[in-house]
Amino acid sequence: MTNAIETRKLVWAYQKQKVLNGIDLQVPKGAIYGYLGRNGAGKTSTIKLLMGLLPAKRNSVYFEGKEFVANREQILQKVGSLIGDPAYYNLSAKENLQVLDDIYHCGKRRIMEMLEITGLADDKDKKVPKFSTGMKQRLGIAMALLHDPDVIILDEPMNGLDPEGIYEIRELLLKLKEVGKTIFFSSHILDEMEKICTHVGILERGQLIYQGTLTALLKDVPKQVTVLCESPETVCSLFTGQQFDAYVEQSNKVSVRLNQSQSFGDFIRLLAKADTTVYNIESNNSSLENIYLNLTSNV
Amino acid sequence: MKSMIDLLQSEHLKIRKNWGVWLLFIVPVVITLIIDINIAMSHSGITNFQGNPWMSKLGQPLLLMYVLLFPMMIALCVHSLFDLEYSRMNFKRLYVLPVSKRMIIWAKFIVVVEILGLSTLFAYWLLMLSGNFFASTLPKYHFGDFDMNPVFTAFFVRMFIICLSVAFLQYALSSLFCKFSVPVGIACVGTVIALIASPWKYIYIFPYNLIANYMKDFTSESVAILTPSVIVALLYLVVFGAATYLFLSRIKV
């Protein structure tokens, strides 16, 4: 199946410094693809290259199998994007959408529909400077979605939003997925990514260090268990003797990593054999945050 | 062609509430009103006015204000047009429209020509309206005895072309420096330099020479359009237009 977005050896350098070093993105149709990476990792540069705001090399960006540079205008008809929160501050929310409508010819009904969906219908005649950060972000999303694009690219859409705003955006993205849209978005809010993404890509130092489904990512990465006990050396040697990755963390603490073939049950059975008093066992869930930190610390 | 019309419609909607654009229409009204009021208030001592009232009473003070203020107003207007896209990162939205970048920039150029054309035409219309108004209300000035249309038409055509080259110079400066103070400051200093250096023989090669053009061509009631300053302005129009195109197409977004 053709990917909605694909990059092949995508590179970008800024002032002779490599920002992106051969990125091969594969965003399946209908996916919510979360693009993760620390500040300066190259997330926004990737998005700008995808949208043609930075000059990508020929044959490095594809949308639904079509090369971007050669088919720029045709592709952009089907792509909506939000990079920052651009809007005309001398105009109202409705007028901002009308500016785009002059190009896309979506009609007044569609403008009203977008204002309803993004919860701006009551403030449609208010000028943008009077908007809160969340309202500006929602207006940006309304502008990105106005022409009913198949692919939606959002750069940190949850930035600066309060919990309610984040919830609204999350629900909106899920609704869009339900109607078959492909969503590619970057974010720092890992909890939110975990809640909505079907796929993730992790960018570190200009390289894609992981790409795939979120389920596979959460499954593949080892769990870490911390044991608080009287004699950590005994526990540590017991586990290392049985091919577990264990080390003494503090004077009374042992950390044990469980790989895919080692279950939590195996761990408990082995721990029961240890001749020591156990005070506590803490299991770190394989949350995206832990996985992300684990993966990026290994690069 | 359809995309260009769409872009122009979109541009018109954006600038509808732009203060910089309105400045080019409001200031001529204010200046004309002040000069008209002055003429109307000072007629009591005159029984039979000698000389050409179009020149001495109306044209000279009004056009002097225009040539002094237009370059600065153009700098403000053009920067406000540029800032509309720049300050709120709207270039990011503009350059992802399914229209070629070339067409987007051309639409912006057309809008500048249109604003300046309409503003110059409006200023000309205000002048003619004032003169014709006084011809009927204050006959002792003898406004009706003179046909100054060819002189004023030539003046406003020259003013339009010179102002257009200034507008593109200002657009290039705004897109190069992005800040308000630099391009607007350059326009103000440029006008003052032109005023001081107006007796200089080659002042027409200076982009902000509008005031010098007024001193030389208008006061001599010239009806020539292709004066040296206009020919140089046309040349500058191409150069500054190309520079603006280059800066806008490569602007950091």
Side-chain angles (χ1 to χ4, degrees), chain A residues 263-274:
Chain A
S263 71
F264 194 66
D266 297 334
F267 166 82
I268 292 291
R269 269 192 291 278
L270 196 57
L271 185 65
K273 290 179 188 169

PDB file of all heavy atoms in Angstrom, chain A residues 263-274:
ATOM      1  N   SER A 263       9.642 -12.796  31.352  1.00  0.00           N
ATOM      2  CA  SER A 263       8.380 -12.221  31.832  1.00  0.00           C
ATOM      3  C   SER A 263       8.518 -11.748  33.283  1.00  0.00           C
ATOM      4  O   SER A 263       9.488 -12.079  33.960  1.00  0.00           O
ATOM      5  CB  SER A 263       7.256 -13.255  31.728  1.00  0.00           C
ATOM      6  OG  SER A 263       7.478 -14.251  32.698  1.00  0.00           O
ATOM      7  N   PHE A 264       7.530 -11.015  33.696  1.00  0.00           N
ATOM      8  CA  PHE A 264       7.520 -10.535  35.080  1.00  0.00           C
ATOM      9  C   PHE A 264       7.385 -11.724  36.045  1.00  0.00           C
ATOM     10  O   PHE A 264       7.947 -11.720  37.134  1.00  0.00           O
ATOM     11  CB  PHE A 264       6.357  -9.537  35.245  1.00  0.00           C
ATOM     12  CG  PHE A 264       6.438  -8.740  36.506  1.00  0.00           C
ATOM     13  CD1 PHE A 264       7.471  -7.822  36.699  1.00  0.00           C
ATOM     14  CD2 PHE A 264       5.501  -8.891  37.521  1.00  0.00           C
ATOM     15  CE1 PHE A 264       7.559  -7.079  37.868  1.00  0.00           C
ATOM     16  CE2 PHE A 264       5.584  -8.161  38.695  1.00  0.00           C
ATOM     17  CZ  PHE A 264       6.622  -7.240  38.870  1.00  0.00           C
ATOM     18  N   GLY A 265       6.664 -12.738  35.568  1.00  0.00           N
ATOM     19  CA  GLY A 265       6.495 -13.968  36.363  1.00  0.00           C
ATOM     20  C   GLY A 265       7.845 -14.635  36.619  1.00  0.00           C
ATOM     21  O   GLY A 265       8.148 -15.068  37.752  1.00  0.00           O
ATOM     22  N   ASP A 266       8.671 -14.727  35.543  1.00  0.00           N
ATOM     23  CA  ASP A 266      10.026 -15.319  35.691  1.00  0.00           C
ATOM     24  C   ASP A 266      10.814 -14.544  36.737  1.00  0.00           C
ATOM     25  O   ASP A 266      11.533 -15.108  37.559  1.00  0.00           O
ATOM     26  CB  ASP A 266      10.801 -15.239  34.365  1.00  0.00           C
ATOM     27  CG  ASP A 266      10.134 -16.054  33.273  1.00  0.00           C
ATOM     28  OD1 ASP A 266       9.429 -17.022  33.611  1.00  0.00           O
ATOM     29  OD2 ASP A 266      10.326 -15.703  32.082  1.00  0.00           O
ATOM     30  N   PHE A 267      10.657 -13.239  36.681  1.00  0.00           N
ATOM     31  CA  PHE A 267      11.385 -12.356  37.603  1.00  0.00           C
ATOM     32  C   PHE A 267      10.981 -12.645  39.056  1.00  0.00           C
ATOM     33  O   PHE A 267      11.826 -12.813  39.944  1.00  0.00           O
ATOM     34  CB  PHE A 267      11.100 -10.895  37.224  1.00  0.00           C
ATOM     35  CG  PHE A 267      11.487  -9.896  38.255  1.00  0.00           C
ATOM     36  CD1 PHE A 267      12.809  -9.457  38.363  1.00  0.00           C
ATOM     37  CD2 PHE A 267      10.548  -9.384  39.147  1.00  0.00           C
ATOM     38  CE1 PHE A 267      13.158  -8.530  39.330  1.00  0.00           C
ATOM     39  CE2 PHE A 267      10.904  -8.468  40.118  1.00  0.00           C
ATOM     40  CZ  PHE A 267      12.223  -8.032  40.209  1.00  0.00           C
ATOM     41  N   ILE A 268       9.678 -12.753  39.288  1.00  0.00           N
ATOM     42  CA  ILE A 268       9.163 -12.973  40.654  1.00  0.00           C
ATOM     43  C   ILE A 268       9.619 -14.342  41.171  1.00  0.00           C
ATOM     44  O   ILE A 268      10.070 -14.479  42.314  1.00  0.00           O
ATOM     45  CB  ILE A 268       7.618 -12.853  40.675  1.00  0.00           C
ATOM     46  CG1 ILE A 268       7.181 -11.399  40.410  1.00  0.00           C
ATOM     47  CG2 ILE A 268       7.011 -13.369  41.992  1.00  0.00           C
ATOM     48  CD1 ILE A 268       7.515 -10.405  41.518  1.00  0.00           C
ATOM     49  N   ARG A 269       9.506 -15.353  40.292  1.00  0.00           N
ATOM     50  CA  ARG A 269       9.918 -16.720  40.695  1.00  0.00           C
ATOM     51  C   ARG A 269      11.384 -16.728  41.126  1.00  0.00           C
ATOM     52  O   ARG A 269      11.747 -17.317  42.122  1.00  0.00           O
ATOM     53  CB  ARG A 269       9.695 -17.689  39.525  1.00  0.00           C
ATOM     54  CG  ARG A 269       8.297 -18.341  39.564  1.00  0.00           C
ATOM     55  CD  ARG A 269       8.204 -19.496  38.581  1.00  0.00           C
ATOM     56  NE  ARG A 269       8.227 -19.020  37.200  1.00  0.00           N
ATOM     57  CZ  ARG A 269       7.156 -18.561  36.555  1.00  0.00           C
ATOM     58  NH1 ARG A 269       5.984 -18.525  37.156  1.00  0.00           N
ATOM     59  NH2 ARG A 269       7.262 -18.148  35.315  1.00  0.00           N
ATOM     60  N   LEU A 270      12.222 -16.031  40.363  1.00  0.00           N
ATOM     61  CA  LEU A 270      13.653 -16.009  40.670  1.00  0.00           C
ATOM     62  C   LEU A 270      13.941 -15.212  41.939  1.00  0.00           C
ATOM     63  O   LEU A 270      14.762 -15.615  42.765  1.00  0.00           O
ATOM     64  CB  LEU A 270      14.406 -15.393  39.472  1.00  0.00           C
ATOM     65  CG  LEU A 270      15.907 -15.610  39.412  1.00  0.00           C
ATOM     66  CD1 LEU A 270      16.258 -17.104  39.417  1.00  0.00           C
ATOM     67  CD2 LEU A 270      16.489 -14.957  38.170  1.00  0.00           C
ATOM     68  N   LEU A 271      13.207 -14.121  42.085  1.00  0.00           N
ATOM     69  CA  LEU A 271      13.412 -13.268  43.266  1.00  0.00           C
ATOM     70  C   LEU A 271      13.040 -14.024  44.551  1.00  0.00           C
ATOM     71  O   LEU A 271      13.680 -13.854  45.589  1.00  0.00           O
ATOM     72  CB  LEU A 271      12.579 -11.978  43.127  1.00  0.00           C
ATOM     73  CG  LEU A 271      12.777 -10.939  44.224  1.00  0.00           C
ATOM     74  CD1 LEU A 271      14.213 -10.386  44.198  1.00  0.00           C
ATOM     75  CD2 LEU A 271      11.811  -9.769  44.045  1.00  0.00           C
ATOM     76  N   ALA A 272      12.036 -14.886  44.416  1.00  0.00           N
ATOM     77  CA  ALA A 272      11.590 -15.670  45.581  1.00  0.00           C
ATOM     78  C   ALA A 272      12.698 -16.598  46.079  1.00  0.00           C
ATOM     79  O   ALA A 272      12.740 -16.963  47.262  1.00  0.00           O
ATOM     80  CB  ALA A 272      10.342 -16.463  45.222  1.00  0.00           C
ATOM     81  N   LYS A 273      13.595 -16.958  45.151  1.00  0.00           N
ATOM     82  CA  LYS A 273      14.682 -17.860  45.524  1.00  0.00           C
ATOM     83  C   LYS A 273      15.811 -17.130  46.269  1.00  0.00           C
ATOM     84  O   LYS A 273      16.677 -17.754  46.854  1.00  0.00           O
ATOM     85  CB  LYS A 273      15.259 -18.517  44.266  1.00  0.00           C
ATOM     86  CG  LYS A 273      14.324 -19.525  43.626  1.00  0.00           C
ATOM     87  CD  LYS A 273      14.984 -20.096  42.368  1.00  0.00           C
ATOM     88  CE  LYS A 273      13.993 -20.950  41.599  1.00  0.00           C
ATOM     89  NZ  LYS A 273      14.493 -21.286  40.288  1.00  0.00           N
ATOM     90  N   ALA A 274      15.817 -15.831  46.192  1.00  0.00           N
ATOM     91  CA  ALA A 274      16.903 -15.062  46.811  1.00  0.00           C
ATOM     92  C   ALA A 274      16.782 -15.067  48.329  1.00  0.00           C
ATOM     93  O   ALA A 274      15.689 -14.887  48.864  1.00  0.00           O
ATOM     94  CB  ALA A 274      16.871 -13.628  46.300  1.00  0.00           C
TER      95      ALA A 274
END
